[in-house]
Amino acid sequence: AQTVTQSQPEMSVQEAETVTLSCTYDTSESDYYLFWYKQPPSRQMILVIRQEAYKQQNATENRFSVNFQKAAKSFSLKISDSQLGDAAMYFCAFSGSEKLVFGKGTKLTVNP
Amino acid sequence: EAGVVQSPRYKIIEKKQPVAFWCNPISGHNTLYWYRQNLGQGPELLIRYENEEAVDDSQLPKDRFSAERLKGVDSTLKIQPAELGDSAVYLCASSYGTGNEQYFGPGTRLTVT
C-alpha cells in the first residue's frame, strides 16, 4: 500500500520569505501523480500544484514550485514570496492505480 | 463554473440517530469520492464512484454507512445509526477520470453527541 509522510507538523515563515514543505512517499508503482493541496481554515481543499511522475521537469505554478526526486521518492513544495493568504494546512497526496492517499498535513503560519 | 456543492455544511445529532449528506459534483465529472477527515488528519477515502458504480468501497464501514449515486450525478452518504466516533468532516470530491486532480467541496462537519 502507498504511504505519504509529511514530517513537519507545523512550519512558520515571515511574509515575503521562502519556505519549503517536505513530503516523502512509498510506492512500487512507476506511473503515478503527486499533488499538493491547500486547506485554509474555511476547510475547502484547493489544488496547489500537480506533478506527473513521468515528467522530469519540476512543476511550477506562479509562486509555488516543487522539487520532485523520483529515485528518493521525495516531493517538496517551495513557496516563494510568502503571503498572509498562504497560511493554511498543506497536504501532500499520491495517486497511483488505486486511491488518492494523503499525508497528515503541515500547518503553515505566515508571520507579518 | 460551479464547484462541488455539499449540504448541509454543519450537522449536530445525537448518537444512534441517522444522518445523510448530499453532494453535487462538477458537471461532466464522472468520478465522485467521499472522504472522512478527522481533526488534524488528512482525508481518508470512504468510497469512489465511476459514474453510478461504486468501484472502491473497501474503507466504507458497511454495517452503518451506505452511499448511492443514482444516475451517475448527485450522491448521498448515509450513516445509521451514528456513533460518537463518526464526528468528523465529510468531504465530497469529483474528477474527470481517475488519476486526475480532484476538486473538493466545502465539506460537512458532523458532530455526534
Side-chain angles (χ1 to χ4, degrees), chain A:
Chain A
Q2 291 88 0
T3 59
V4 176
T5 302
Q6 292 180 249
S7 59
Q8 306 153 317
E10 296 187 26
M11 291 283 285
S12 63
V13 63
Q14 290 296 127
E15 195 174 5
E17 296 295 310
T18 297
V19 64
T20 299
L21 307 184
S22 301
C23 173
T24 59
Y25 58 95
D26 187 25
T27 184
S28 58
E29 299 184 37
S30 59
D31 189 19
Y32 50 86
Y33 299 87
L34 294 161
F35 305 90
W36 278 98
Y37 280 90
K38 170 186 177 181
Q39 189 176 42
S42 64
R43 204 169 64 231
Q44 185 108 28
M45 192 84 75
I46 303 166
L47 178 68
V48 174
I49 200 165
R50 158 190 164 152
Q51 174 80 45
E52 292 92 338
Y54 67 86
K55 289 187 177 179
Q56 293 186 338
Q57 187 173 6
N58 289 323
T60 62
E61 193 72 38
N62 300 316
R63 297 183 296 107
F64 299 87
S65 62
V66 299
N67 183 4
F68 173 48
Q69 301 290 326
K70 190 172 184 179
K73 297 180 181 175
S74 171
F75 183 61
S76 61
L77 174 70
K78 185 172 80 171
I79 306 174
S80 303
D81 186 24
S82 296
Q83 300 175 0
L84 295 177
D86 295 334
M89 285 290 292
Y90 285 81
F91 292 96
C92 178
F94 170 99
S95 177
S97 59
E98 300 179 354
K99 58 187 177 183
L100 186 65
V101 178
F102 286 86
K104 291 188 175 182
T106 296
K107 181 180 180 180
L108 179 66
T109 301
V110 181
N111 300 310

Side-chain angles (χ1 to χ4, degrees), chain B:
Chain B
E1 179 183 278
V4 176
V5 179
Q6 289 188 248
S7 69
R9 291 293 306 275
Y10 303 90
K11 189 74 176 178
I12 301 174
I13 61 171
E14 294 183 346
K15 63 181 180 182
K16 300 184 181 180
Q17 294 300 307
V19 64
F21 314 124
W22 175 79
C23 173
N24 177 243
I26 291 174
S27 178
H29 282 191
N30 60 323
T31 306
L32 183 146
Y33 313 77
W34 282 103
Y35 290 88
R36 177 167 58 190
Q37 185 177 21
N38 292 313
L39 188 65
Q41 302 290 319
E44 295 181 332
L45 181 70
L46 291 173
I47 190 168
R48 171 169 64 96
Y49 282 93
E50 288 183 10
N51 300 305
E52 59 273 4
E53 182 182 359
V55 296
D56 184 356
D57 63 356
S58 57
Q59 301 302 310
L60 190 72
K62 298 180 183 61
D63 57 336
R64 298 183 300 106
F65 286 65
S66 64
E68 62 182 11
R69 191 184 184 197
L70 301 177
K71 300 181 181 179
V73 181
D74 294 2
S75 178
T76 57
L77 177 69
K78 298 178 181 178
I79 308 175
Q80 182 172 11
E83 297 179 352
L84 294 176
D86 296 332
S87 294
V89 174
Y90 290 83
L91 296 168
C92 179
S94 70
S95 69
Y96 183 71
T98 303
N100 294 318
E101 52 260 45
Q102 298 179 21
Y103 294 83
F104 285 79
T108 298
R109 181 180 296 279
L110 173 67
T111 302
V112 182
T113 63

